[in-house]
């Protein structure tokens, strides 16, 4: 029986966003867009507890944000975030309530948040940027939870449900020799999808030939596509092979197929029906063996009604259709895409190391105000436009410690921003006071999950006694749980090289080393003594 979600399909229907596939559960999620550690962009936290009426407590030490397709992750781990957590609880009509305490982590959604903020279903469908302590940007949005494993990336950056659907369509059709029609707005990556289909097909060893029909002169389109014999027209001083024969045994990608002239449409239809091309000026057809993939950002059905496109050709081209989402419908991928493009640009400039920073105390390379502007922009040019903006920012910020946007670019981003959905501060928005902490009662170690154990160890700087006290179990039980947890290392698992490197980077600070290596503080101290390494105790004991 399919599990009913508190956040149903109608929650996704607002703001023009496509709804989920039947039977898919929808829950709120938080995705990292900007963080002092740049590589963390794109990591995600599913707020499953809200779907069942529970709450999620978000602090520097818990819960973990996972990279796409990974089973293990890390908390935000930023020292400027308060240990006092933000609370997220279910709101009205499938919304989310954000509870912010006056002495907790400062939160802004374009304005500072105080008390309880109601984020309705329309806001969740659009995505709400959350600014934490002016250092981290998270996007609160809706996510589809799938039972089956996520498909491989196929060279496409992002982990959104919309992109996962595209990857599944590619996997379903790639090994079939049927024509494919890719639909999507300009700049959504139609040629990248065509290349992925080719690389996953049985024709991967053949040529992938890409042709933009909108860039070929109308009078030369037939010769360019199907070839021409010498003397077939003025200027034809030699035989022309044509794109179809150049792609023989491989894949021919026809971009902007809606721009094909009527006479070329007729010839395309003949090729699809017979597998033969008629070179211009030839008296006999030539057999061809190509897999045809076409793409368009036009409404071909409307062109058929207007007499500008032939219906039989559309039916032949659309042996299988793949529809690409615009960037505004997958804003949760924006941080990862920006990081990907920035790394490419920095690599060309010899500065890719700037994205390898691991100091969570540093100022983010992508400043919070700029990250929020990128999230709110409408992106009419989609991923291509994001790549161009990223290039402008990287080149314009050479020699600076962080990105800086020119005033002209800021005006462009502000003028094209999507109007934010309405957010409601509840009348009963008095700060929520948590109940007083009680002394932990004794628990059975078997009742403690690995994520709970890991969160307690991190919160207590890998002091096993303190973690045991928090969990309400004896300290020896913590050691037993660690031994049974395949994803938690012990100090004995560390190589001398890793310890030496960490000792140098942390300047011998035992607490800092335990936090970075995520092992028992006491056991790490013994390993340092065995290696003859000096250690500093920042606790003063």
């Amino acid at each position: 029986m399919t599990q009913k979600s508190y956040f149903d399909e109608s929650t996704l229907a607002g703001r023009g966003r496509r709804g989920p596939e039947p039977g898919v559960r929808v829950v709120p999620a938080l995705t990292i867009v900007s963080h002092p550690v740049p590589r963390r962009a794109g990591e995600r936290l599913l707020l499953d507890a809200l779907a069942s009426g529970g709450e999620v407590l978000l602090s520097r030490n818990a819960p973990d944000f996972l990279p796409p397709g990974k089973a293990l992750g890390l908390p935000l781990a930023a020292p400027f975030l308060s240990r006092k957590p933000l609370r997220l609880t279910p709101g009205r009509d499938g919304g989310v309530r954000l509870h912010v305490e006056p002495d907790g982590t400062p939160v802004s959604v374009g304005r500072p948040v105080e008390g309880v903020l109601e984020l309705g279903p329309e806001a969740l469908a659009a995505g709400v940027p959350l600014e934490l302590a002016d250092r981290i940007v998270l996007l609160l949005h809706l996510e589809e939870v799938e039972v089956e494993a996520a498909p491989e990336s196929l060279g496409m950056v992002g982990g959104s449900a919309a992109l996962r659907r595209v990857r599944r369509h590619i996997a379903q059709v790639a090994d079939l020799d049927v024509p494919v029609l890719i639909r999507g707005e300009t700049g959504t990556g139609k040629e990248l999808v065509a290349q992925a289909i080719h690389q996953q097909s049985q024709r991967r060893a053949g040529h992938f030939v890409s042709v933009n029909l909108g860039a070929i002169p109308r009078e030369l389109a037939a010769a360019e596509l199907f070839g021409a014999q010498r003397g077939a027209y003025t200027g034809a001083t030699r035989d022309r092979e044509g794109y179809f024969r150049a792609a023989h045994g491989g894949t021919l990608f026809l971009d902007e197929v809606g721009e094909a002239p009527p006479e070329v449409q007729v010839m395309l239809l003949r090729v699809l029906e017979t597998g033969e091309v008629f070179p211009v000026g030839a008296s006999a057809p030539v057999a061809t063996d190509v897999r045809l993939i076409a793409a368009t950002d036009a409404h071909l059905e409307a062109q058929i009604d207007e007499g500008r496109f032939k219906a039989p050709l559309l039916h032949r081209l659309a042996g299988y259709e793949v529809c690409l989402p615009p960037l505004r419908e997958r804003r949760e991928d924006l941080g990862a895409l920006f990081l990907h493009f920035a790394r490419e640009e920095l690599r060309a400039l010899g500065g890719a190391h700037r994205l390898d920073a691991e100091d969570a105390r540093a100022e983010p390379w992508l400043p919070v105000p700029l990250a929020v502007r990128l999230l709110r922009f409408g992106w009419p040019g989609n991923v291509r436009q994001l790549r161009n903006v990223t290039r402008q920012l990287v080149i314009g910020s050479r020699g600076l410690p962080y990105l800086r946007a020119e005033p002209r670019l800021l005006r462009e981003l502000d003028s094209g921003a999507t109007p934010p959905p309405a957010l409601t501060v509840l009348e009963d928005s008095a700060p929520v006071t948590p109940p007083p902490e009680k002394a932990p009662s004794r628990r059975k170690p078997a009742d403690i999950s690995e994520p709970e154990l890991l969160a307690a160890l991190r919160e207590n700087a890998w002091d096993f006694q303190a973690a045991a006290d928090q969990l309400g179990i004896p300290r020896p039980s913590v050691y037993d749980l660690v031994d049974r947890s395949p994803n938690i290392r012990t100090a004995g698992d560390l190589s001398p090289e890793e310890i030496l490197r960490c000792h140098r980077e942390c300047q011998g600070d035992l607490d800092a080393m335990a936090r970075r290596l995520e092992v028992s503080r006491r056991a790490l101290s013994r390993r340092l003594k065995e290696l003859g390494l000096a250690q500093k105790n920042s606790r003063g004991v």
Side-chain angles (χ1 to χ4, degrees):
M1 183 176 180
T2 302
Q3 182 176 354
K4 176 65 176 176
S5 174
Y6 175 77
F7 300 85
D8 62 19
E9 285 82 353
S10 63
T11 314
L12 269 178
R15 312 284 288 190
R17 190 175 178 118
R18 292 177 176 86
E21 296 174 350
V24 174
R25 194 162 57 95
V26 179
V27 301
L30 289 168
T31 296
I32 298 175
V33 178
S34 180
H35 189 281
V37 179
R39 63 174 173 78
R40 302 206 55 187
E43 294 181 9
R44 189 159 304 157
L45 168 66
L46 292 178
L47 306 177
D48 285 295
L50 302 189
S52 56
E55 67 176 14
V56 173
L57 303 180
L58 179 66
S59 71
R60 69 169 76 166
N61 295 317
D64 287 351
F65 285 71
L66 307 182
K70 304 295 183 182
L72 290 177
L74 293 169
L76 291 175
F80 43 80
L81 299 182
S82 173
R83 291 182 181 273
K84 187 171 292 186
L86 303 171
R87 290 178 59 229
L88 296 106
T89 61
R92 303 187 187 105
D93 303 320
V96 171
R97 288 179 180 173
L98 177 64
H99 305 251
V100 181
E101 299 204 34
D103 56 347
T105 297
V107 180
S108 176
V109 290
R111 65 178 188 271
V113 178
E114 296 179 356
V116 184
L117 181 67
E118 179 86 21
L119 303 165
E122 184 182 7
L124 294 180
V128 181
L130 303 179
E131 305 167 41
L132 307 186
D134 295 323
R135 296 287 191 90
I136 290 176
V137 177
L138 306 178
L139 184 70
L140 176 62
H141 60 97
L142 292 175
E143 183 59 68
E144 298 174 23
V145 181
E146 300 150 344
V147 177
E148 59 186 90
E152 58 180 303
S153 69
L154 303 178
M156 291 176 280
V157 176
S160 65
L163 193 58
R164 295 198 302 271
R165 281 195 291 270
V166 171
R167 292 177 180 132
R168 287 197 181 91
H169 283 303
I170 293 172
Q172 286 173 328
V173 76
D175 63 340
L176 305 177
D177 224 19
V178 300
V180 177
L181 177 62
I182 304 172
R183 296 182 186 248
E185 296 179 8
T186 181
T188 49
K190 295 184 285 293
E191 183 168 353
L192 182 63
V193 171
Q195 289 173 338
I197 293 173
H198 173 72
Q199 289 300 324
Q200 298 298 309
S201 75
Q202 298 175 1
R203 296 174 175 268
R204 66 179 67 91
H207 293 297
F208 176 86
V209 178
S210 177
V211 183
N212 186 331
L213 289 178
I216 300 177
R218 186 184 188 91
E219 62 276 9
L220 294 179
E224 292 284 344
L225 287 171
F226 310 114
Q229 288 191 336
R230 179 182 177 184
Y233 55 89
T234 303
T237 58
R238 56 183 177 82
D239 289 346
R240 182 186 292 271
E241 182 181 45
Y243 291 120
F244 267 89
R245 284 189 284 177
H248 187 79
T251 300
L252 178 62
F253 174 57
L254 299 179
D255 198 4
E256 296 191 32
V257 70
E259 301 296 320
E263 58 273 18
V264 172
Q265 293 181 36
V266 173
M267 300 178 78
L268 282 174
L269 183 58
R270 174 183 169 80
V271 174
L272 287 166
E273 290 176 341
T274 66
E276 298 175 334
V277 298
F278 245 109
V280 177
S283 58
V286 178
T288 184
D289 175 26
V290 299
R291 202 263 183 87
L292 197 63
I293 301 178
T296 184
D297 59 2
H299 193 325
L300 296 182
E301 289 78 6
Q303 291 190 8
I304 290 173
D305 293 340
E306 297 166 1
R308 296 190 293 119
F309 201 83
K310 298 187 177 300
L313 178 58
L314 173 59
H315 300 154
R316 284 284 186 176
L317 290 173
Y320 191 86
E321 287 196 22
V322 180
C323 295
L324 305 191
L327 183 56
R328 63 181 175 276
E329 289 186 9
R330 58 183 189 108
R331 294 181 194 271
E332 56 268 41
D333 288 336
L334 193 143
L337 281 165
F338 184 88
L339 177 66
H340 172 75
F341 294 141
R343 192 176 295 279
E344 287 186 342
E345 298 301 327
L346 285 169
R347 188 178 293 122
L349 298 173
H353 62 278
R354 297 179 63 179
L355 297 181
D356 297 330
E358 294 289 334
D359 186 0
R361 298 167 297 181
E363 291 283 343
W365 185 69
L366 174 57
V368 163
L370 180 54
V372 171
R373 277 185 163 99
L374 296 176
L375 282 172
R376 289 181 174 156
F377 187 59
W379 299 109
N382 293 290
V383 178
R384 183 185 296 127
Q385 186 180 17
L386 174 62
R387 182 170 199 159
N388 291 338
V389 168
T390 305
R391 179 180 293 119
Q392 292 180 53
L393 287 168
V394 170
I395 295 175
S397 304
R398 294 181 70 182
L400 298 177
Y402 50 81
L403 290 175
R404 183 188 67 184
E406 296 293 334
R408 178 196 56 78
L409 179 56
L410 292 177
R411 288 193 297 271
E412 179 184 339
L413 293 174
D414 289 342
S415 65
T418 303
L423 306 177
T424 304
V425 178
L426 299 184
E427 293 180 3
D428 56 342
S429 59
V432 177
T433 303
E437 294 186 5
K438 298 179 180 179
S441 57
R442 287 295 172 184
R443 302 171 60 190
K444 294 181 179 179
D447 294 337
I448 296 172
S449 65
E450 182 177 303
E452 185 181 5
L453 172 64
L454 192 56
L457 288 168
R458 286 171 174 161
E459 190 168 342
N460 291 280
W462 292 84
D463 185 319
F464 277 32
Q465 182 61 65
D469 293 341
Q470 178 177 320
L471 294 169
I473 60 176
R475 187 175 73 181
S477 297
V478 175
Y479 288 100
D480 292 340
L481 289 172
V482 168
D483 288 339
R484 292 199 296 269
S485 299
N487 297 308
I488 301 180
R489 298 192 300 176
T490 67
D493 296 328
L494 304 174
S495 67
E497 293 77 16
E498 186 175 7
I499 295 175
L500 286 168
R501 183 170 61 253
C502 186
H503 182 272
R504 181 174 62 255
E505 293 173 353
C506 295
Q507 299 180 341
D509 187 318
L510 178 60
D511 290 308
M513 292 184 67
R515 286 193 298 269
R516 176 174 295 192
L517 296 170
E518 297 201 322
V519 295
S520 162
R521 183 175 175 277
R522 178 174 295 186
L524 180 59
S525 177
R526 288 197 297 269
R527 288 296 307 275
L528 292 177
K529 290 177 182 176
E530 292 171 1
L531 294 171
L533 297 174
Q535 54 186 284
K536 294 186 294 183
N537 193 332
S538 58
R539 300 184 184 185
V541 295

